Amino acid sequence: MAAPVVIGLSAVVMAIRDGEAVVLAVRPRDAELQGLPFGPFSPEGHRTFELALRAFVTEQTRFDLGYVEQLYTFGDKGRDAPLADMGAGAARVISVGYLALAPAALDSHSADSDWQPWSRFFPYEDWREGRPAALGVIEPALRSWAEAGAGGGSQRLARVRLLFALDEAPWNEERVLERYELLYEAGLAQEAARDRGESPAALAPALAAALGEPMLSDHRRILATALSRLRGKLKYRPVAFELMPEAFTLSALQRAVEAIAGVPLHKQNFRRALERADLVEGLGRLETETGGRPAELFRFRREILAARPVSGLSLPLLRE
């Protein structure tokens, strides 16, 4: 008799706090690792997946979701092991992942949830201050794995070079998921050994820190999927404004976009692109609460969404 199937829902809730992109994390009772807000879908009690997601996120974190979109369905066998137990017993757990964006990282008032920077889980993805030191630590381990492959590992090495920008290959910030999956395949992601029922290999502290913190179940894969989706979507939909308050400075908007994309942007070219797209409107008043030089406040012209097709933001990179 086939094992029953249970549908679970997982939420990647992202916001901006103090110029950093943060994700809402939860730690279930007695769990050593953090994960994403998650819970079961009940066909009898929930009319839609999204309503169920909003309800259990609020229950777990006391946080009401705003913008929500479905990400992907995760169904790999064993993906729920360990600690993503939703009372399913031996059932096969299929998870539907969602991305949610919030205009403020409000405290949830729940002891088992908090906001964590996404870079805590993917430190090698943050290029805002130049090539991250974490990549220099990871590179020897990746090359060693690649060279151990069939035929001298030429195909593996080509993938490593392309994804991790080795040997002067260009960096593609959107390929977060592919990079995590390669680390998983190479056995460097701690979740890989755990999912095989093995004890994770003892890593040097510097390498463990460079690889980022593991998460419950396959929640780091879900987070990587969400970050990949959001980084790509920045360029073709105005989703960045879902992370901003009603009134914001252009500097705050740029810092938010950089925090998500993980790359530094050219200030003047970023503002010129905003002007050409006609996405923002000055409010005629200044931001004075930062203690620095007053800057003009703007708003997102949300009404244009109903008037015409609207693209995302240009990401003019700051070249060194």
Side-chain angles (χ1 to χ4, degrees):
M1 181 177 179
V5 172
V6 171
I7 298 175
L9 305 174
S10 301
V12 177
V13 185
M14 302 196 75
I16 302 295
R17 171 175 279 182
D18 299 327
E20 291 296 323
V22 292
V23 61
L24 191 60
V26 300
R27 189 188 303 274
R29 184 177 301 175
D30 300 326
E32 295 182 1
L33 300 176
Q34 289 188 309
L36 302 169
F38 64 92
F41 172 75
S42 170
E44 294 79 17
H46 300 133
R47 186 165 59 87
T48 68
F49 284 173
E50 183 175 324
L51 289 176
L53 179 91
R54 291 178 182 274
F56 79 71
V57 168
T58 300
E59 179 182 354
Q60 289 186 20
T61 67
R62 304 183 188 178
F63 181 86
D64 291 325
L65 295 181
Y67 172 95
V68 171
E69 69 167 85
Q70 190 175 127
L71 271 177
Y72 191 74
T73 299
F74 301 84
D76 290 355
K77 187 174 183 179
R79 61 154 299 277
D80 53 320
L83 300 175
D85 183 8
M86 296 180 292
R92 178 80 171 269
V93 177
I94 307 298
S95 179
V96 182
Y98 280 82
L99 170 65
L101 305 179
L106 300 176
D107 290 332
S108 69
H109 305 295
S110 177
D112 59 358
S113 67
D114 60 3
W115 294 93
Q116 297 287 350
W118 61 254
S119 55
R120 180 171 180 171
F121 308 104
F122 306 108
Y124 50 85
E125 291 286 345
D126 189 354
W127 286 63
R128 286 175 294 173
E129 301 296 328
R131 186 179 184 86
L135 279 180
V137 179
I138 295 171
E139 180 177 345
L142 283 174
R143 288 187 182 276
S144 178
W145 169 78
E147 291 166 1
S154 58
Q155 291 185 343
R156 283 185 176 183
L157 187 57
R159 291 170 58 205
V160 169
R161 285 171 172 163
L162 179 63
L163 290 175
F164 288 86
L166 305 186
D167 302 330
E168 300 185 359
W171 176 255
N172 184 333
E173 73 278 1
E174 295 181 33
R175 303 181 77 171
V176 186
L177 177 61
E178 291 174 78
R179 281 186 282 273
Y180 172 75
E181 289 186 331
L182 188 144
L183 291 172
Y184 187 98
E185 180 184 344
L188 292 172
Q190 291 189 45
E191 293 92 334
R194 183 198 67 192
D195 293 350
R196 293 193 299 266
E198 304 170 359
S199 297
L203 301 175
L207 179 56
L211 291 166
E213 292 190 15
M215 300 181 81
L216 292 177
S217 188
D218 60 350
H219 288 191
R220 195 150 60 132
R221 177 177 275 110
I222 297 174
L223 177 56
T225 303
L227 191 56
S228 292
R229 170 77 65 87
L230 185 54
R231 284 180 169 185
K233 203 162 189 176
L234 284 174
K235 302 170 187 176
Y236 65 88
R237 293 292 298 165
V239 292
F241 297 103
E242 304 295 341
L243 294 160
M244 304 304 295
E246 288 296 320
F248 52 86
T249 66
L250 297 186
S251 292
L253 175 63
Q254 180 175 335
R255 287 196 300 272
V257 173
E258 289 174 332
I260 292 293
V263 294
L265 301 179
H266 190 284
K267 179 178 178 180
Q268 286 74 26
N269 290 346
F270 178 76
R271 296 193 175 190
R272 290 191 192 104
L274 273 178
E275 291 175 3
R276 289 195 299 269
D278 201 24
L279 293 174
V280 298
E281 178 180 58
L283 295 176
R285 63 180 193 270
L286 302 179
E287 169 66 80
T288 59
E289 298 179 359
T290 60
R293 182 178 178 181
E296 184 177 3
L297 287 167
F298 289 78
R299 75 173 186 92
F300 172 46
R301 297 182 63 237
R302 193 171 294 274
E303 63 275 9
I304 67 174
L305 296 177
R308 60 177 172 85
V310 179
S311 62
L313 298 175
S314 174
L315 302 186
L317 298 183
L318 178 63
R319 304 294 183 185
E320 296 183 0

